[in-house]
Amino acid sequence: MSQDNLSEQMLIRREKLDKLRQQGIEPYADRYARTHSAEEIHLEFEELNGQEVAVAGRIMAKRGQGKAGFAHLQDFSGQIQVYVKVDNVGEAALDLFNRADLGDIIGVKGTVFKTQKGEVSVRATSISMLSKSLRPLPEKWHGLTNVELRYRQRYLDLIVNPEVRNVFVTRSKIVRSMRGFLEAKGFLEVETPTLHPIAGGAAAKPFQTHHNALDMDLFLRIALELPLKKLIVGGFEKVFEIGRNFRNEGISVKHNPEFTMMELYQAFADYNDIMELTEQMVAHIAQEVLGTMVVEYQGEQVDLAPPWRRLPMLEGIKEYAGVDFAQITSDQEARNVAAAKGLAVEQDASRGKIINGFFEEFVEPHLIQPTFVTGHPVEVSPLAKRNRIKPEYTDRFEAFIVGRELANAFSELNDPIDQRERFEAQAAARAAGDEEAHPVDEDFLNALEFGLPPTGGLGIGIDRLVMLLTDSPSIRDVILFPTMRPRED
RNA sequence: GAGCCAUUAGCUCAGUCGGUAGAGCACCUGACUUUUAAUCAGGGUGUCGUUGGUUCGAGUCCAACAUGGCUCACCA
């Protein structure tokens, strides 16, 4: 990647660049008056046939034939063939064309026609060099398959692998569709800080940074939750944010250190209201973006049409693990059952954590069709409201599709005394070595003490939603520039 | 953080038992005025990821390191 030790091909391209300049041709043009995209010429061929057009794009294929030649130009919309014949363009332009390389970006003016083989093309009358390419493109037939190169040089991936471009176009449509859905429901989009004095709102390790002028440590946010709930305290009734979260944890096919979440909060609603909103929203997005609510993910057919299955967590465990935690009341009993089932848990694990462990181990992988799992133990839900009837559980749900969590939601805990106690329990776990336990957030408690109305909240991992809707096996396939170690060479 | 696998030309990949480094595309020279993975004739362009070790001799065997992928751990 360095400038030293250029390959033969790179040296030759630099020589070609110099020669263009010697001929008075600027190889990096300022602009080009393009009249049509490649796609427009194909779509509007009947009207454009015989008309003069100007197209521009990257040379992706080139077939010279002495005094004539063909090339395919690629722009964002697609590809268009150009036909260059000395009789039409003259010796100089033909020479420019013949010396052009794959990857060069050129402009071609000419008339639209159809070749003998029936391909819509542009018969060139003039050719302009717009940008000389100094590096050879990957191979035209196999493309770029080396995943390391694809992620590090995503621009190359986008040039030679058209389906990659589609994933990111779809990603944009998904986010746009989500915004449209929420705005139509009266939600207000807001932006809250990325730099937090303490990192709260989720169980995760944060990235730490430092502000020099204030001489204070700051954390990159791990969730959007707490500032958004402060806005509900402040009188906003429906807010959402689509923003980047940062978690200083492992990288996997499902995890990137920075990822995008949508969180929304609705005053006077509970988790049941949010459940309906969630299934409606996901179905709406699929219908609007893909034109169907039935999607295929890695060979599994998934029907996103509401209503989705509702499954209380304990019932799920009873069904798939054969253990009824309603009959198990103590931490010690729960640990014994975990040992009997071969589930590794920490020595001092609470019943609630073990229930969550059972769920993740035995139930999650079975939840292929969209499923709302409800009733999480209070120990693993420090920001969720307790269930009125069974206070050791919360009014919470997580949505699972193809065995993966897509959404997390609950009736927000708005009792400031209870919230303080939960934070203190988390702080104790933190003191005992749980790096991901929530710290006490006095500023948030202060807001709650002024009164948070009953509120339903929701978080959806945008990257995972995009994975589902684009049938992408890895989160790196839906993030343009996934986090990578730098290469030394 | 752990285990397994991979790393050879610009790209996609072969490389046998340890004995002078190979193919296709791309590229270079030439031919060709409707081709489309254009064709024809000729040309191999390389720090075999890095550093050590074993050996008369290492792309090949061994070790460490680097980067990536997958699985696990952690998590969304």
Side-chain angles (χ1 to χ4, degrees):
Chain A
M1 302 284 285
S2 66
Q3 288 302 298
D4 344 309
N5 56 45
L6 296 178
S7 74
E8 183 194 38
Q9 292 196 46
M10 288 192 272
L11 286 170
I12 288 166
R13 287 184 181 225
R14 276 168 169 75
E15 285 164 13
K16 288 178 173 178
L17 178 80
D18 292 341
K19 193 174 173 200
L20 284 172
R21 286 227 162 93
Q22 284 163 18
Q23 291 179 314
I25 297 170
E26 171 52 47
Y28 299 102
D30 293 330
R31 72 185 302 276
Y32 188 73
R34 178 169 70 159
T35 64
H36 294 77
S37 71
E39 185 182 38
E40 284 167 345
I41 292 172
H42 287 285
L43 291 177
E44 300 164 24
F45 172 72
E46 295 303 328
E47 306 89 88
L48 291 173
N49 192 11
Q51 302 293 307
E52 171 119 328
V53 296
V55 296
R58 193 182 294 278
I59 302 174
M60 299 302 291
K62 191 163 162 259
R63 297 172 292 278
Q65 295 190 80
K67 297 294 182 191
F70 291 88
H72 275 102
L73 299 192
Q74 174 170 289
D75 64 20
F76 187 74
S77 72
Q79 295 196 350
I80 183 74
Q81 179 171 259
V82 296
Y83 176 50
V84 182
K85 186 163 68 160
V86 68
D87 306 351
N88 298 319
V89 295
E91 290 284 352
L94 180 75
D95 185 51
L96 179 68
F97 175 79
N98 282 337
R99 283 174 15 241
D101 289 307
L102 296 187
D104 289 355
I105 297 168
I106 63 172
V108 173
K109 201 173 289 179
T111 53
V112 175
F113 78 113
K114 201 176 262 185
T115 63
Q116 290 177 355
K117 299 286 171 62
E119 180 163 349
V120 173
S121 306
V122 173
R123 183 185 284 108
T125 53
S126 74
I127 296 174
S128 308
M129 176 61 70
L130 303 182
S131 186
K132 181 70 191 168
S133 172
L134 297 181
R135 289 177 183 269
L137 287 177
E139 205 240 5
K140 65 182 171 186
W141 192 242
H142 300 92
L144 186 67
T145 60
N146 181 317
V147 287
E148 183 173 353
L149 295 182
R150 286 185 48 222
Y151 297 148
R152 286 188 195 282
Q153 302 182 63
R154 181 68 89 180
Y155 40 89
L156 268 188
D157 194 24
L158 289 166
I159 290 169
V160 301
N161 296 325
E163 67 283 2
V164 172
R165 168 182 305 192
N166 289 337
V167 168
F168 292 101
V169 170
T170 300
R171 179 175 177 131
S172 177
K173 288 178 180 168
I174 288 167
V175 173
R176 197 186 319 151
S177 177
M178 179 178 281
R179 279 207 170 90
F181 177 88
L182 292 173
E183 278 164 13
K185 295 240 179 240
F187 281 86
L188 183 77
E189 182 167 12
V190 297
E191 292 180 273
T192 65
T194 306
L195 298 173
H196 289 187
I198 58 175
K205 285 179 226 158
F207 285 93
Q208 189 166 4
T209 185
H210 187 81
H211 189 284
N212 291 337
L214 296 178
D215 188 23
M216 70 182 290
D217 287 337
L218 286 165
F219 298 96
L220 274 60
R221 67 180 170 194
I222 57 175
L224 314 176
E225 177 143 353
L226 302 183
L228 291 177
K229 280 198 271 199
K230 289 179 187 173
L231 295 180
I232 302 293
V233 170
F236 285 107
E237 295 183 353
K238 291 180 171 182
V239 295
F240 75 100
E241 178 168 7
I242 295 173
R244 202 69 62 85
N245 285 349
F246 306 86
R247 298 192 183 174
N248 206 340
E249 290 164 353
I251 293 178
S252 82
V253 75
K254 288 186 280 185
H255 302 86
N256 194 65
E258 51 181 308
F259 63 102
T260 304
M261 287 274 289
M262 188 287 293
E263 289 195 27
L264 67 80
Y265 293 85
Q266 179 174 351
F268 311 116
D270 71 3
Y271 77 123
N272 283 305
D273 299 315
I274 301 298
M275 223 181 281
E276 283 176 31
L277 182 76
T278 301
E279 60 192 3
Q280 279 175 28
M281 179 168 68
V282 172
H284 167 87
I285 293 167
Q287 186 64 48
E288 188 167 89
V289 174
L290 304 177
T292 175
M293 294 188 196
V294 180
V295 302
E296 182 165 322
Y297 186 77
Q298 303 297 297
E300 303 266 21
Q301 287 257 323
V302 176
D303 188 352
L304 299 172
W308 296 357
R309 180 187 182 195
R310 268 73 168 164
L311 179 68
M313 187 176 270
L314 291 202
E315 278 184 28
I317 293 172
K318 199 157 66 174
E319 178 178 340
Y320 293 105
V323 176
D324 186 4
F325 273 93
Q327 309 298 320
I328 296 167
T329 51
S330 74
D331 291 349
Q332 188 54 53
E333 249 183 298
R335 281 177 225 141
N336 293 343
V337 172
K341 280 281 178 182
L343 183 73
V345 297
E346 287 160 30
Q347 289 252 312
D348 56 346
S350 66
R351 174 174 170 277
K353 278 212 158 188
I354 293 167
I355 288 174
N356 200 51
F358 262 80
F359 174 76
E360 288 175 2
E361 178 71 18
F362 299 110
V363 185
E364 239 183 68
H366 298 287
L367 304 181
I368 305 301
Q369 296 305 315
T371 304
F372 289 121
V373 172
T374 59
H376 298 61
V378 69
E379 294 96 321
V380 296
S381 313
L383 299 166
K385 181 173 277 191
R386 291 179 194 271
N387 183 267
R388 289 284 166 212
I389 298 162
K390 296 179 179 169
E392 67 272 32
Y393 302 101
T394 54
D395 285 344
R396 175 181 175 189
F397 73 80
E398 290 180 293
F400 288 87
I401 303 181
V402 294
R404 296 180 182 183
E405 182 187 343
L406 181 78
N408 182 23
F410 33 88
S411 296
E412 302 300 331
L413 175 56
N414 61 343
D415 175 344
I417 309 295
D418 191 0
Q419 181 67 78
R420 180 176 294 280
E421 286 167 9
R422 306 268 197 101
F423 272 150
E424 280 165 2
Q426 288 285 310
R430 198 179 178 79
D434 183 351
E435 283 182 86
E436 291 169 4
H438 297 229
V440 179
D441 189 333
E442 286 294 345
D443 201 40
F444 177 66
L445 287 170
N446 189 66
L448 278 196
E449 286 167 9
F450 278 99
L452 172 71
T455 298
L458 167 70
I460 288 189
I462 297 293
D463 311 277
R464 291 190 177 176
L465 178 63
V466 175
M467 286 169 69
L468 174 71
L469 297 182
T470 58
D471 196 14
S472 297
S474 169
I475 197 169
R476 296 183 199 94
D477 296 327
V478 302
I479 293 175
L480 281 166
F481 298 102
T483 305
M484 304 281 277
R485 283 191 150 99
R487 286 284 296 236
E488 290 176 3
D489 61 13

